[in-house]
């Protein structure tokens, strides 16, 4: 980065865009890498006094060779232009990209916005502002690309070898596991249904967790699905409802039992070849049943058939009959961007998750677009007690905008909120602030003197150039460290200002923004929004952790000012209705439907400001 752009950053920049990527996440044991990356990055942010803003691509397959499968990275690129962003922090260069031309383009974007690039892994500290640092970045990028290409070639060779031997690739189909030779066999895993209606994962030959527990094996569950489907009477949704009513459960990728959805029925019935021990060539979508004249003729007894071969032939014939053959021409419909996708959760499922103390039972609302009418829709097949299964998108987005209006404050109220922050934190007094500022000035002057002393020794010939540059670099780093450090009062002011800017930015830009921009704005502020489909209202929400203190202080501000500074707002009544608390989350701030705030430490504070008031 050029010196001019470094100077243009200014002291008001404090946000670090922190990016985490894992190439492939198979199960719960694969979370070590993201956790390690987060710890390294957090250490860098603490060192420089930056406020971290996290972007994580660590679910499923997130290749560094392209960008389209990394939504968090795409959202981060949009944030680079924000004037409060000072740096992009990643564990190492390979987390960003594994293609050298992608790295070059990213470096140009960072230069255009005056944003630093910092790596957090030990031994990866590079100065990208110097020619030597740029050259090292280019070398590492080419090395990472060569490594990725080599791994891809090895993987293709391994897959081809397995397919030639009739061994499936990837996660085994539901109801099966692989034996020591790699072939599919019935799985002994399943779920115990306890008398209280809950389920516990287990195996068939183990002792029941309770005397009256009922065994529900995953192999038997898959066979039951195939039998119902072969009757050619019910669709995916209805089969999922039947299976749920009979007490069957599905196994997620983490090994935990969960409710069966319509997508799970599709997964089971579409694996009729794999269940027969046959591995088709090419892509699965090119081998769909509707592309075959006689799907049943594709099946034969390989000696490795997991289910009866005649049952699988019937399933294949039914699937071919139901399938719609796609035309080989036409224009593919562009995907619709739902602003609140991955943020909305069903209130009824949320209640079940809280009662069972199992967050896996939470259900996100997905998008549905039919004849140009867009809706947020509950996952099919999952029965949680809600009667309505969908809601128009504009109704939900209107309520979210009303919620943002309730959170908004005028900038003049920041002084009052900062005063509350000072009062709420022990030890935040003027004497401490003055002492800290004096110490800060002293340390900065000290390291400036060290640079001058090193320059004098170098000019006199008493120090080598390498030693001088090293001492100069170390001293400049310490100067930057002390300049970035703030008192707790200053830090709170920066955090509160950032949150106020995020809320105001969402409120002011929502109407004119595109759906993609709305999606980014909502995700920057909200962690989740719980919506009741039956009553069509927001009953709960969570802000990101960095905004927790803002919400708590805003509540205190209204407690000090009972008038609230504005007229009533009927839209806020959605949050004001008295009702039972749906979720008590002690890890992040939560505002419940009863108008209470749950702070990270578990304390509760009444939020009168959210009971039908328009903020000042």
């Amino acid at each position: 980065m050029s010196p001019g752009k470094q100077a243009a950053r200014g002291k008001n920049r404090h946000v670090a865009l922190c990016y985490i990527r894992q190439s492939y996440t198979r199960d719960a044991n694969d979370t070590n890498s993201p956790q390690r990356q987060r710890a390294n990055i957090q250490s860098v942010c603490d060192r420089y006094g930056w406020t971290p803003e996290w972007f994580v691509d660590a679910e499923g397959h997130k290749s560094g060779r392209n960008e389209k499968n990394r939504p968090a990275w795409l959202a981060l690129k949009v944030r680079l232009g924000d004037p409060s962003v000072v740096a992009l922090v990643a564990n190492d260069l390979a987390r960003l990209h594994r293609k050298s031309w992608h790295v070059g383009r990213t470096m140009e974007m960072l230069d255009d916005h005056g944003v630093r690039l910092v790596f957090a892994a030990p031994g990866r500290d590079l100065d990208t502002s110097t020619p030597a640092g740029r050259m090292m970045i280019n070398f590492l990028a080419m090395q990472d690309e060569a490594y990725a290409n080599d791994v891809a070639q090895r993987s293709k060779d391994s897959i081809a070898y397995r397919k030639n031997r009739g061994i499936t690739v990837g996660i085994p189909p539901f109801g099966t596991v692989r034996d020591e030779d790699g072939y599919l066999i019935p799985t002994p895993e399943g779920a115990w249904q306890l008398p209280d209606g809950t389920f516990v994962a287990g195996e068939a030959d183990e002792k029941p967790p309770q005397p009256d527990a009922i065994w529900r094996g995953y192999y038997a569950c898959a066979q039951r699905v195939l039998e119902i489907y072969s009757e050619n009477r019910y669709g995916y949704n209805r089969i999922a409802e039947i299976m749920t009513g009979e007490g069957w459960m599905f196994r997620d990728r983490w090994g935990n039992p969960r409710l069966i959805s319509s997508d799970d029925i599709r997964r089971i019935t579409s694996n009729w070849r794999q269940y027969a021990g046959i591995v088709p060539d090419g892509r699965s979508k090119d081998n769909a049943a509707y592309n075959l004249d006689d799907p049943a003729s594709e099946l034969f007894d390989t000696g490795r058939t997991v289910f009866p071969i005649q049952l699988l032939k019937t399933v294949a014939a039914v699937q071919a009959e139901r399938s719609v053959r796609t035309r080989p021409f036409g224009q593919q419909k562009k995907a619709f961007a739902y602003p609140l996708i991955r943020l909305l959760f069903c209130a009824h499922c949320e209640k079940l998750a809280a009662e069972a103390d199992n967050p896996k039972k939470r259900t996100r609302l997905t998008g549905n677009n039919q004849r140009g009418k867009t809706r947020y829709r509950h996952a099919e097949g999952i029965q949680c007690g809600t009667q309505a299964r969908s809601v128009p998108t504009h109704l939900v987005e209107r309520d979210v905008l009303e919620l943002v209006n309730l959170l908004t404050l005028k900038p003049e109220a920041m002084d009052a909120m900062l005063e509350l922050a000072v009062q709420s934190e022990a030890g935040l007094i003027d004497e401490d602030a003055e002492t800290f500022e004096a110490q800060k000035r002293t340390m900065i002057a000290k390291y400036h003197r060290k640079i001058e002393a090193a320059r004098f020794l170098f000019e006199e010939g008493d120090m080598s150039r390498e030693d001088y540059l090293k001492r100069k670099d170390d001293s400049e780093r310490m100067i930057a460290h002390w300049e970035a450090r703030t008192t707790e009062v200053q830090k709170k002011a920066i955090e509160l200002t950032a949150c106020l800017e995020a809320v105001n930015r969402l409120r002011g830009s929502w109407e004119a923004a595109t759906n993609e921009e709305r999606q980014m704005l909502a995700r920057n502020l909200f962690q989740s929004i719980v919506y009741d489909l039956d009553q069509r209202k927001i009953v709960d929400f969570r802000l990101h952790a960095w905004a927790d203190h803002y919400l708590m202080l805003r509540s205190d501000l209204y407690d000090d000012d009972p008038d609230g500074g504005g007229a009533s707002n009927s839209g806020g009544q959605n949050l004001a209705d008295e009702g039972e608390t749906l979720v008590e989350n002690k890890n992040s701030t939560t505002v419940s439907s009863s108008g209470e705030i749950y702070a990270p430490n578990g304390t509760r504070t009444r939020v009168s400001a959210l009971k039908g008031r328009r903020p000042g």
Side-chain angles (χ1 to χ4, degrees), residues 8 14 37 147 164 184 211 291 373 396 444 454 467 479 509 514 533 582:
H14 60 91
Q37 293 180 50
Y147 171 79
N164 289 335
L184 298 180
N291 285 329
K373 297 181 179 180
V396 185
I444 291 175
D467 290 340
I479 291 173
S509 305
T514 64
L533 290 168
L582 296 179

Side-chain angles (χ1 to χ4, degrees), residues 202-412:
E203 295 191 3
D205 56 353
E206 68 181 7
K207 182 179 179 181
Q210 294 183 14
D212 297 331
I214 301 175
W215 174 247
R216 300 290 187 184
Y218 293 142
Y219 174 78
C221 175
Q223 182 165 357
R224 176 64 176 150
V225 169
L226 295 173
E227 290 172 350
I228 298 176
Y229 184 82
S230 66
E231 298 174 2
N232 201 11
R233 296 172 56 193
Y234 306 112
Y236 294 153
N237 296 342
R238 179 58 181 150
I239 295 177
E241 294 174 0
I242 293 174
M243 296 297 293
T244 301
E246 294 181 0
W248 299 99
M249 299 292 285
F250 197 80
R251 176 189 181 278
D252 64 14
R253 65 167 55 233
W254 316 118
N256 302 313
R258 64 166 175 80
L259 293 174
I260 298 178
S261 69
S262 59
D263 276 344
D264 301 329
I265 306 300
R266 176 188 55 77
R267 293 185 181 99
I268 294 172
T269 56
S270 297
N271 281 322
W272 48 273
R273 283 193 190 84
Q274 284 78 2
Y275 287 138
I278 299 174
V279 183
D281 294 329
R283 300 177 299 179
S284 297
K285 66 179 182 179
D286 294 334
N287 291 279
Y290 58 74
N291 285 329
L292 303 175
D293 295 331
D294 185 9
S297 65
E298 298 283 320
L299 300 179
F300 57 93
D301 192 354
T302 61
R304 302 185 296 271
T305 304
V306 181
F307 297 105
I309 189 66
Q310 189 56 46
L311 174 62
L312 297 177
K313 287 185 177 182
T314 306
V315 169
V318 171
Q319 190 170 83
E321 180 182 343
R322 291 185 177 186
S323 300
V324 178
R325 189 180 300 273
T326 59
R327 296 182 177 182
F329 57 86
Q331 185 176 2
Q332 185 177 4
K333 186 178 180 181
K334 184 179 179 181
F336 183 83
Y338 294 86
L340 303 177
I341 201 72
R342 299 188 65 82
L343 290 179
L344 286 177
F345 289 81
C346 169
H348 291 77
C349 293
E350 200 81 7
K351 185 175 182 180
L352 294 176
E355 292 173 350
D357 193 21
N358 182 9
K360 296 291 185 181
K361 292 190 174 183
R362 303 176 71 201
T363 303
R364 285 189 174 95
L365 302 185
T366 58
N368 181 263
N369 187 356
Q370 293 183 347
R371 301 181 183 88
K373 297 181 179 180
T374 57
R375 304 176 72 87
Y376 290 107
R377 189 173 186 83
H378 196 286
E380 295 293 349
I382 296 180
Q383 304 301 311
C384 61
T386 180
Q387 299 300 315
R389 305 296 296 185
S390 65
V391 62
T393 56
H394 71 274
L395 295 182
V396 185
E397 292 162 14
R398 180 198 63 189
D399 287 347
V400 170
L401 188 57
E402 290 292 340
L403 173 59
V404 173
N405 289 336
L406 291 174
L407 296 174
T408 308
L409 280 177
K410 290 182 179 179
E412 304 87 82

Side-chain angles (χ1 to χ4, degrees), residues 427-446:
L428 300 185
I429 55 178
D430 291 340
E431 289 78 6
D432 287 343
E434 293 177 0
T435 301
F436 175 83
E437 287 299 327
Q439 181 187 15
K440 180 176 178 179
R441 290 191 297 269
T442 301
M443 296 303 296
I444 291 175
K446 173 184 175 182

